[in-house]
Amino acid sequence: MITVSNLSKSYNGVQVLNLENLDIPKGQSFGLVGNNGAGKTTFFSLLLDLIQPTTGHIKNKNVLVHESEDWKPFTSSFIDESFLIGYLTAEEYFYFIGELRGENKSDVDALLSQFEDFFHDEILGKKKYLRDLSKGNQKKAGIVAALIGNPEVIILDEPFANLDPTTQIRLKQIIKHLAEKQGVTVLVSSHDLMHVTDVCERIVVLEKGEMVKDLATSEATLKELEEHFSN
Amino acid sequence: MIKHFLNLEWKQFKRASYFQKGLAIKILLFLAVLYFGGIAIFIGGIMFFGLEKAFPDVDPIVMVNNYLIYWILFELMIRYFMQQLPVMNIKPLMIIPIKRNTIINYLLGKTILSFFNFISLFLFLPFSIVLLFQGYPVINVVLWFIAIMCINLSINFLNFLINKSNTVFYGIASVLIVIISLRYFNIFDVTEPIGKLFNGLYNQPYFALIPLLLMVGLYKVNFDFIRKGFYLDGAISKKVKEVEATDLSWMDRFGSMAPFLKNDVKMIWRNARPKQVLMMSFLFLFYGLIFYTQDVYRDMPAFLAFASIFVTGGFLLSFGQLVPSWDSEYYKMLMSQNIPYRQYLESKWYLMVVAVAVSFVLSTPYIYFGWEIFGMIAAGALFNIGLNTFITLFGGALNRVPIELNTKAKAFSNTNGFNPTQLLIALPKMVLPMLLFYIPYKLINFNAGLIALALSGVIGLVFKNFFLNKIEGIYQKGKYKTIAAFSEKK
């Protein structure tokens, strides 16, 4: 689904990301871990054509990301709160995204009804603007908005941070379900090794912009990761 | 303690984003402050002589007192829309051992230095000095001046309350509406007794005590208000507004542009900054009054053309020049969503066209100045729709300053979109219509000028798709730069 070749990004001659080859097949749940400054968000930004690669390219379903916009209809993402429109209510925001993705109100409502437990009665029907919600609730709204419109690729940056334990567990189920049952390619980054190993079939470790590990998740993965990061 | 506060303030001032800009802009800003300050002082200085000449039968001080209430109301309105509340970054200070009273006193005291207080000072100080030189009784003049300053500061403190408390806001608003409608329907003119009151203030100097007490009282109310709410969820919190949900589904008839248009309407309606722009553009409607009432300009129709552009173009110019910036807070999302750039631009274009049309309808009272003037406004509106919209959108592409939507622009720190490129782009917006009118006017006649101006707009409309495609290309090209600039923290 996603093919990366010779991708690198430098700022003023300092390289922050350098990935020679990376293939993410359709329907894989893909985890990205690394310390601060490892290049996770840079990679996701390149994937969404928010920054320009210094060298190389990314292909999303055979579309060259930095040349064509044709990847947009089947790709959705939530990177940070700047993806939310602060002066809308959660419903208005969902319907807006729905309209952009060619879904009508009832389509969106049908999708939202699956996430009532996820929202915990704190988001829908609250008569509050998104900018007035707490960080955690903002994140929930952003993540659910990324699921609208049957995307084939979903990119979530640090989805577990700021979430309460109940929602973390529910989110893990959602992501697993998306990848296994619906064949959606899910890309997730996290600082929480436990969550990533729970959710992802494959985990890539970045360090200073380089890929240092590429693991197929197994029983031993968590241990291996913990060892890696304790040195 | 005060020393620490001042130190913090100084750092905040020095390191503020608008000071990090180029030297040229700093100088321009400085000149602008000088200019407005100078104008106020100048008006204050000549006010006495002007009034004396215009109304030889009435003592200028009486005249000023009679109309003072309008100045006060004007100031209140301007402050409500423009003045920022003094939220010193209070959160970090809450857990540090500083007496609350000290912080609150400092917070309120700081507002005295607000630019808005100086307008009155600059206006009335020279006026009072002139009065003294004209031999008016010293005690009366000095105490009157002090009384005015106390009123000025009372407004300052009142504004804080109005902003923070809905009850005060609706109370004052309803009193104002009652007063204005009473006067409008000729039932009772409340300005007369108020004028007498101000005159009394001058004639009986010890009355100056009343505004002084008023000021102290309002200070105290403010103090108690903040003191009582000195908690994270109290007075220093940002006001969480109830959602004002309006059904905009009737806009769905605009087809693929509907989601954007609906969004823009909500954006304007629910955020402080665009609301401010909306109000400013309403004021532009009255721009013509300055030009059309003066005989000097009657013989310089090029200037009339210039004014006509502003009458209908207020919103277009002030909103349009910041076009991508309005969406800066969530630009990354827009760029990674399933959005064709073209639709995004086109919806903004429609918004501006509608605004020009509405302004044009509102400008019909200008018929009073004759059909020639009104024809000019109509031609100007066509130019605005057909050409100015595109020039403005093009200028927006070069503007990469993020906007904080829900923060009012500070007076004189509003350098958003204020850079040399913007000035260059602003030139054709103003000079082009003047030329379009003036050349045929000189060569043929007045009507030819009107037709040329109107025709240019129609031609622009015909080439709409061509222009939008070109502009889209420019926006696409600058995409990465714009994203990077918008995601920089202010």
Side-chain angles (χ1 to χ4, degrees):
Chain A
M1 191 75 185
I2 292 169
T3 327
V4 175
S5 29
N6 289 322
L7 187 73
S8 79
K9 179 72 186 171
S10 311
Y11 288 105
N12 302 323
V14 182
Q15 201 168 59
V16 293
L17 189 72
N18 183 21
L19 296 175
E20 230 158 72
N21 254 316
L22 184 64
D23 259 303
I24 305 173
K26 186 174 167 59
Q28 188 169 64
S29 53
F30 176 89
L32 203 57
V33 290
N35 290 327
N36 290 332
K40 302 186 294 290
T41 307
T42 308
F43 177 58
F44 283 169
S45 300
L46 284 164
L47 208 47
L48 294 169
D49 194 34
L50 295 174
I51 51 180
Q52 255 176 321
T54 311
T55 65
H57 62 255
I58 302 179
K59 271 188 186 166
N60 187 350
K61 206 178 171 186
N62 278 324
V63 179
L64 259 184
V65 166
H66 68 278
E67 275 179 9
S68 160
E69 291 190 76
D70 295 338
W71 52 273
K72 284 181 177 177
F74 58 85
T75 309
S76 76
S77 54
F78 183 68
I79 303 291
D80 55 34
E81 285 75 35
S82 71
F83 273 55
L84 298 173
I85 302 181
Y87 54 83
L88 296 181
T89 64
E91 283 98 335
E92 286 171 339
Y93 180 67
F94 293 142
Y95 294 141
F96 177 67
I97 301 287
E99 279 180 279
L100 295 182
R101 304 197 147 261
E103 299 225 321
N104 61 29
K105 247 182 167 151
S106 51
D107 297 336
V108 176
D109 282 334
L111 182 87
L112 291 182
S113 66
Q114 298 169 33
F115 296 103
E116 266 168 25
D117 54 336
F118 188 75
F119 288 144
H120 226 272
D121 247 358
E122 284 190 36
I123 291 175
L124 295 178
K126 276 290 161 262
K127 292 217 160 222
K128 258 189 180 181
Y129 296 129
L130 285 171
R131 63 175 173 228
D132 295 328
L133 294 178
S134 71
K135 275 263 154 69
N137 283 333
Q138 284 182 345
K139 191 146 219 169
K140 288 185 202 172
I143 291 172
V144 169
L147 306 180
I148 293 174
N150 302 315
E152 292 173 56
V153 177
I154 299 179
I155 299 165
L156 301 172
D157 196 12
E158 300 270 7
F160 299 106
N162 280 330
L163 288 187
D164 54 70
T166 315
T167 325
Q168 286 180 358
I169 292 166
R170 180 75 176 93
L171 179 62
K172 283 197 268 189
Q173 293 169 346
I174 294 172
I175 294 176
K176 269 188 188 163
H177 181 85
L178 282 170
E180 281 167 17
K181 300 273 154 56
Q182 298 176 9
V184 178
T185 316
V186 187
L187 284 79
V188 165
S189 78
S190 182
H191 282 149
D192 192 313
L193 302 176
M194 198 115 88
H195 288 322
V196 201
T197 38
D198 274 355
V199 169
C200 301
E201 301 163 54
R202 177 183 177 192
I203 295 172
V204 160
V205 180
L206 284 183
E207 213 172 271
K208 293 188 174 149
E210 309 264 353
M211 190 161 86
V212 288
K213 269 184 197 306
D214 186 354
L215 310 166
T217 316
S218 67
E219 299 275 300
T221 309
L222 182 60
K223 235 185 155 86
E224 193 180 342
L225 285 173
E226 274 173 354
E227 250 164 52
H228 174 84
F229 281 104
S230 37
N231 303 321
Chain B
M1 198 43 53
I2 294 291
K3 202 185 79 190
H4 287 295
F5 283 154
L6 289 179
N7 186 16
L8 284 177
E9 288 291 323
W10 177 241
K11 280 189 180 139
Q12 189 191 3
F13 175 68
K14 219 175 47 182
R15 297 178 184 174
S17 58
Y18 54 89
F19 253 108
Q20 316 272 332
K21 301 198 174 175
L23 186 68
I25 285 175
K26 275 186 220 173
I27 293 172
L28 271 176
L29 271 178
F30 180 69
L31 287 177
V33 173
L34 271 190
Y35 173 75
F36 284 107
I39 281 194
I41 291 175
F42 179 69
I43 292 177
I46 62 157
M47 190 154 51
F48 181 89
F49 306 106
L51 287 172
E52 200 175 37
K53 205 172 165 199
F55 308 96
D57 312 331
V58 193
D59 193 339
I61 178 86
V62 175
M63 207 67 200
V64 167
N65 278 331
N66 280 343
Y67 287 94
L68 204 55
I69 183 69
Y70 289 107
W71 169 252
I72 289 173
L73 293 179
F74 173 71
E75 227 192 294
L76 202 58
M77 189 180 79
I78 290 288
R79 279 176 195 260
Y80 179 73
F81 284 103
M82 307 280 274
Q83 191 172 15
Q84 276 203 334
L85 296 187
V87 190
M88 181 171 55
N89 283 325
I90 219 171
K91 250 192 229 173
L93 299 175
M94 289 176 80
I95 45 160
I96 294 176
I98 304 175
K99 285 238 164 63
R100 283 181 183 184
N101 292 359
T102 320
I103 300 178
I104 299 172
N105 277 327
Y106 180 75
L107 197 68
L108 287 172
K110 204 183 92 175
T111 65
I112 293 174
L113 290 177
S114 158
F115 168 77
F116 292 92
N117 293 328
F118 284 94
I119 303 180
S120 267
L121 180 73
F122 285 163
L123 209 58
F124 289 106
L125 186 65
F127 181 68
S128 303
I129 291 172
V130 172
L131 283 180
L132 287 180
F133 273 107
Q134 294 291 322
Y136 282 74
V138 178
I139 295 179
N140 292 44
V141 171
V142 169
L143 284 179
W144 178 80
F145 174 70
I146 291 174
I148 298 292
M149 284 303 110
C150 287
I151 291 174
N152 184 23
L153 289 178
S154 302
I155 300 173
N156 182 45
F157 294 128
L158 189 63
N159 178 48
F160 187 84
L161 287 177
I162 295 177
N163 265 295
K164 272 289 171 191
S165 143
N166 278 330
T167 350
V168 181
F169 175 74
Y170 289 119
I172 290 194
S174 37
V175 168
L176 278 185
I177 290 170
V178 168
I179 290 178
I180 291 170
S181 41
L182 280 180
R183 168 155 188 155
Y184 185 79
F185 295 112
N186 285 325
I187 301 171
F188 179 66
D189 189 356
V190 82
T191 52
E192 245 175 74
I194 291 180
K196 287 211 179 89
L197 250 143
F198 284 120
N199 276 312
L201 210 57
Y202 171 75
N203 293 323
Q204 310 291 336
Y206 52 88
F207 276 178
L209 215 59
I210 300 171
L212 183 71
L213 288 178
L214 182 72
M215 181 190 81
V216 174
L218 279 169
Y219 186 89
K220 184 87 178 68
V221 174
N222 261 319
F223 187 91
D224 290 344
F225 184 79
I226 302 180
R227 172 81 214 219
K228 209 169 63 197
F230 199 79
Y231 301 96
L232 279 186
D233 50 359
I236 55 169
S237 72
K238 275 196 210 154
K239 200 156 58 174
V240 175
K241 283 212 179 112
E242 263 279 280
V243 169
E244 308 160 27
T246 22
D247 186 25
L248 295 172
S249 49
W250 57 271
M251 292 182 96
D252 284 338
R253 73 188 63 174
F254 290 102
S256 59
M257 257 152 1
F260 299 103
L261 280 174
K262 283 191 281 189
N263 221 19
D264 279 337
V265 171
K266 285 174 193 157
M267 191 262 282
I268 294 171
W269 202 244
R270 293 176 179 179
N271 292 294
R273 183 73 192 280
K275 255 192 197 166
Q276 220 177 351
V277 165
L278 197 66
M279 191 205 60
M280 292 298 284
S281 42
F282 184 71
L283 292 183
F284 269 108
L285 271 178
F286 301 98
Y287 201 78
L289 289 179
I290 304 175
F291 284 86
Y292 304 148
T293 49
Q294 312 250 334
D295 291 336
V296 194
Y297 295 116
R298 280 266 165 191
D299 310 325
M300 288 192 281
F303 278 98
L304 294 183
F306 176 77
S308 307
I309 295 299
F310 278 96
V311 170
T312 54
F315 181 82
L316 160 77
L317 294 171
S318 42
F319 180 86
Q321 65 168 346
L322 294 173
V323 151
S325 298
W326 293 118
D327 296 308
S328 63
E329 281 180 358
Y330 43 88
Y331 203 66
K332 272 197 270 182
M333 185 274 285
L334 288 184
M335 285 304 102
S336 60
Q337 259 304 344
N338 188 24
I339 296 177
Y341 229 128
R342 175 62 188 271
Q343 265 173 26
Y344 169 80
L345 287 173
E346 204 167 349
S347 78
K348 297 280 189 236
W349 184 79
Y350 270 103
L351 197 68
M352 291 194 269
V353 169
V354 169
V356 173
V358 171
S359 314
F360 179 63
V361 172
L362 289 177
S363 72
T364 37
Y366 277 115
I367 294 176
Y368 172 78
F369 292 103
W371 287 102
E372 277 193 351
I373 293 286
F374 192 65
M376 207 156 213
I377 292 177
L382 266 175
F383 172 82
N384 274 335
I385 288 178
L387 278 183
N388 237 353
T389 45
F390 298 118
I391 303 177
T392 311
L393 276 180
F394 170 71
L398 308 171
N399 170 34
R400 300 201 176 92
V401 194
I403 284 183
E404 282 177 83
L405 278 176
N406 210 17
T407 321
K408 290 175 195 170
K410 284 188 209 155
F412 291 118
S413 65
N414 176 18
T415 52
N416 287 357
F418 189 71
N419 55 41
T421 9
Q422 281 301 315
L423 285 180
L424 274 180
I425 287 293
L427 270 182
K429 291 186 215 166
M430 328 228 160
V431 178
L432 189 64
M434 287 170 85
L435 289 179
L436 278 172
F437 172 81
Y438 190 72
I439 294 170
Y441 163 75
K442 262 281 136 173
L443 295 179
I444 314 168
N445 59 21
F446 186 87
N447 283 341
L450 279 192
I451 291 167
L453 191 59
L455 212 60
S456 73
V458 175
I459 292 172
L461 273 180
V462 171
F463 285 99
K464 178 188 152 203
N465 282 333
F466 170 78
F467 283 131
L468 274 181
N469 285 339
K470 281 273 170 244
I471 295 170
E472 186 198 349
I474 297 165
Y475 273 81
Q476 288 280 20
K477 235 172 148 184
K479 175 183 162 184
Y480 302 104
K481 273 190 189 167
T482 314
I483 292 174
F486 283 169
S487 51
E488 262 172 37
K489 284 271 175 305
K490 283 200 91 175

